[in-house]
């Protein structure tokens, strides 16, 4: 008998986390798995951030924090938004949460009603659709392909909007494609959104610093959209702090207040030590993390080069994040080493079993022709992984 709620029964498992768990399980069985499934920097958290955390422990930061975060942290977030994004926020517009994932969930929970529609430019991060579903909204994918560098057009956006549309999730640089929208592309999409004043925008900028080309733009920079944009960010990706779990929003004050109310009933304030460490991270000049970005860029080039040597795999050149999202649909309907590959999930499973390389199927991201490869791994591991994949596909 299934005694669980309909809510959890209908919730899909996070495919990124499921692949990470599978990788751990296979390794525990003694298998030599190269994990390229999780979007997680393989660097250590920089020393100056660790020092700030140690200092916070020694200074006896051990009590509950304000639900929306320490004032000093919210001020640091405002300074960061101004310095990096030219965005004007005041501390009462900031809410600090246990990871950007909670920030996004808060916003969805406070804005969405049953029956509201959410737009997801595809490919999109796995949890957007699940979070929208948890908030009892429905979601609509706006498809794109490798031919358009996985970006949607203003016309597609216009066509997808209905009177029920309440929220759009926007993510640039994008997980899983690595694509980054230019300022002109933002402005063109904004022109459409300006015509629909009831639509809110979640602008997820968690990969902003993992950026190889040009500047990042933000929806909240556009005056007409500022009052209905929620800017999401966090320290996980840029500062190699995934496990520290600190995300934050900049939003209209009434939305920030609602998120604080929601969070106050579910988790309260984020871990106090991680918050103090985050002040040090955000106040540091961006140049302090450039070595990681340079390394990611060089790995991107290596991975693209090696993928291009494999017949049937189609790539583009992503200009941000640490993912490549090759189109592998050439293999659909083919039998390789007695295994019939019917879709991207079959392909990812085949690669896992034959090559012992963990990736994530594009199905999870609303892009069924692709797989996601995270290159947040050492160069040696990446070279070995690509050699194994090539061999498995011969
Ligand atoms: N955001 C990362 C990823 O896409 C971490 C895992 C997750 O939370 O989905 O791999």
């Amino acid at each position: 008998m299934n005694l669980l709620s309909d809510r959890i029964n209908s919730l899909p498992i996070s495919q990124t986390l499921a692949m990470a768990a599978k990788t751990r399980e296979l390794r525990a069985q003694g298998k030599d798995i190269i994990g390229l499934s999780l979007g997680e920097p393989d660097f250590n958290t920089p020393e100056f951030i660790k020092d700030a955390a140690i200092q916070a422990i020694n200074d006896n930061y051990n009590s509950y924090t304000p639900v929306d975060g320490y004032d000093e942290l919210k001020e640091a977030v405002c300074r960061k938004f101004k310095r990096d994004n030219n965005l004007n926020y005041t501390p009462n517009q900031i809410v600090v949460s246990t990871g950007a994932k909670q920030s996004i969930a808060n916003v969805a929970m406070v804005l969405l009603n049953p029956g509201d529609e959410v737009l997801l430019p595809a490919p999109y991060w796995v949890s957007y659709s699940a979070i929208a579903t948890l908030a009892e909204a429905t979601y609509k994918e706006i498809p794109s392909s490798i031919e358009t560098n996985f970006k949607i057009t203003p016309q597609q956006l216009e066509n997808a909007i209905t009177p029920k549309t309440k929220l759009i999730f926007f993510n640039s640089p994008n997980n899983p494609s690595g694509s980054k929208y230019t300022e002109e592309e933002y402005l063109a999409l904004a022109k459409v959104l300006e015509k629909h004043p009831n639509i809110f925008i979640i602008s997820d900028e968690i990969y902003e610093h993992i950026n190889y080309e040009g500047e990042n733009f933000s929806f909240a920079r556009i005056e007409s959209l500022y009052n209905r944009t929620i800017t999401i960010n966090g320290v996980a990706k840029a500062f190699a702090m995934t496990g520290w779990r600190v995300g934050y929003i900049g939003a209209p004050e009434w939305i920030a207040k609602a998120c604080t109310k929601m969070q106050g009933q579910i988790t309260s304030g984020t871990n106090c030590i991680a918050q103090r460490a985050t002040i040090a991270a955000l106040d540091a000049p961006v140049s302090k993390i450039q070595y990681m970005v340079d390394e990611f860029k060089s790995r991107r080039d290596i991975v693209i080069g090696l993928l291009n040597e494999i017949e049937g795999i189609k790539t583009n050149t992503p200009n941000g994040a640490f993912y490549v999202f090759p189109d592998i649909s050439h293999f659909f309907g083919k039998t390789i080493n007695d295994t019939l590959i019917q879709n991207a999930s079959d392909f990812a499973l085949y690669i896992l079993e034959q090559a012992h390389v963990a990736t994530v199927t594009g199905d999870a991201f609303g892009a069924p022709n692709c797989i996601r490869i995270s290159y947040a791994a050492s160069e040696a591991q990446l070279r070995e992984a690509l050699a194994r994949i090539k061999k498995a596909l011969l």
Side-chain angles (χ1 to χ4, degrees):
M1 196 178 23
N2 185 346
L3 296 177
L4 295 171
S5 67
D6 296 345
R7 183 180 305 108
I8 194 67
N9 282 330
S10 62
L11 189 71
I13 194 159
S14 161
Q15 288 297 321
T16 48
L17 300 185
M19 267 315 243
K22 180 105 189 140
T23 303
R24 280 195 285 269
E25 185 189 311
L26 291 172
R27 280 182 185 151
Q29 291 168 14
K31 298 206 171 107
D32 171 25
I33 306 290
I34 302 178
L36 307 182
S37 61
L38 203 56
E40 160 157 82
D42 57 322
F43 295 99
N44 291 325
T45 303
E47 292 300 322
F48 71 95
I49 301 174
K50 293 197 281 192
D51 288 344
I54 292 164
Q55 188 65 45
I57 295 174
N58 288 332
D59 289 346
N60 296 311
Y61 279 96
N62 47 238
S63 307
Y64 288 130
T65 80
V67 171
D68 50 351
Y70 286 121
D71 286 345
E72 297 93 316
L73 175 52
K74 292 193 292 172
E75 281 155 17
V77 169
C78 292
R79 285 193 294 275
K80 173 254 161 328
F81 273 137
K82 185 70 196 162
R83 181 193 65 188
D84 299 344
N85 313 100
N86 199 13
L87 293 177
N88 294 310
Y89 286 115
T90 49
N92 53 358
Q93 295 179 278
I94 307 298
V95 182
V96 179
S97 301
T98 303
K101 194 182 280 191
Q102 188 184 26
S103 300
I104 293 166
N106 280 342
V107 176
M109 293 299 170
V110 307
L111 283 182
L112 295 171
N113 274 319
D116 285 342
E117 264 175 25
V118 170
L119 295 181
L120 300 179
Y124 54 86
W125 178 48
V126 292
S127 293
Y128 292 165
S129 48
I131 288 171
T133 306
L134 269 181
E136 299 183 63
T138 56
Y139 64 87
K140 191 192 274 180
E141 295 173 355
I142 309 178
S144 71
S145 69
I146 202 160
E147 279 74 31
T148 61
N149 276 326
F150 299 107
K151 293 188 209 176
I152 61 158
T153 63
Q155 191 59 53
Q156 281 183 292
L157 175 59
E158 181 75 71
N159 295 346
I161 292 172
T162 75
K164 288 189 176 164
T165 308
K166 178 78 182 278
L167 183 62
I168 178 167
F169 280 75
F170 194 82
N171 173 217
S172 172
N174 178 270
N175 174 9
S177 72
S179 294
K180 210 186 83 178
Y181 283 76
T182 63
E183 179 173 344
E184 292 68 39
E185 288 164 338
Y186 269 93
L187 294 175
L189 293 172
K191 278 215 153 40
V192 176
L193 293 167
E194 276 165 0
K195 287 191 260 168
H196 301 276
N198 298 329
I199 300 178
F200 290 84
I201 302 138
I202 285 190
S203 182
D204 181 352
E205 302 176 13
I206 188 79
Y207 292 96
E208 70 163 332
H209 290 306
I210 323 288
N211 165 32
Y212 313 127
E213 218 176 275
E215 274 192 22
N216 277 311
F217 199 69
S218 297
F219 267 117
R221 289 261 295 271
I222 302 167
E223 214 183 315
S224 60
L225 299 183
Y226 179 82
N227 282 330
R228 48 193 173 108
T229 296
I230 301 94
T231 307
I232 308 276
N233 215 320
V235 288
K237 312 294 182 183
F239 298 94
M241 292 175 71
T242 51
W244 297 66
R245 310 308 300 134
V246 183
Y248 52 85
I249 60 168
E253 190 180 348
W254 62 276
I255 296 179
K257 257 186 159 162
C259 289
T260 302
K261 184 172 158 191
M262 172 64 64
Q263 189 164 299
Q265 292 288 23
I266 295 187
T267 56
S268 310
T270 308
N271 174 288
C272 55
I273 308 303
Q275 285 194 50
R276 302 309 302 184
T278 297
I279 298 173
L282 295 182
D283 276 342
V286 179
S287 57
K288 280 214 162 183
I289 52 167
Q290 190 58 37
Y291 66 99
M292 291 191 257
V293 182
D294 292 343
E295 181 64 28
F296 284 134
K297 184 169 187 231
S298 120
R299 293 175 190 176
R300 175 200 66 174
D301 295 340
I302 290 166
V303 169
I304 297 285
L306 293 172
L307 280 172
N308 285 340
E309 287 174 16
I310 305 176
E311 216 185 302
I313 291 191
K314 217 192 282 177
T315 60
N316 66 338
T317 302
N319 42 17
F322 34 60
Y323 307 109
V324 288
F325 202 55
D327 183 314
I328 44 84
S329 57
H330 164 85
F331 297 93
F332 296 173
K334 297 201 164 56
T335 300
I336 317 171
N337 291 321
D338 296 330
T339 307
L340 173 63
I341 309 284
Q342 283 180 297
N343 50 44
S345 298
D346 288 351
F347 186 93
L349 197 63
Y350 174 77
I351 293 294
L352 180 63
E353 282 169 358
Q354 286 286 320
H356 287 176
V357 177
T359 58
V360 186
T361 172
D363 289 311
F365 306 97
N369 288 339
C370 301
I371 58 163
R372 189 187 78 174
I373 297 175
S374 161
Y375 52 87
S378 72
E379 181 180 332
Q381 279 183 313
L382 292 170
R383 287 189 184 279
E384 170 67 14
L386 270 296
R388 288 190 197 175
I389 293 175
K390 186 174 184 180
K391 192 160 161 234
L393 294 174
L394 280 178

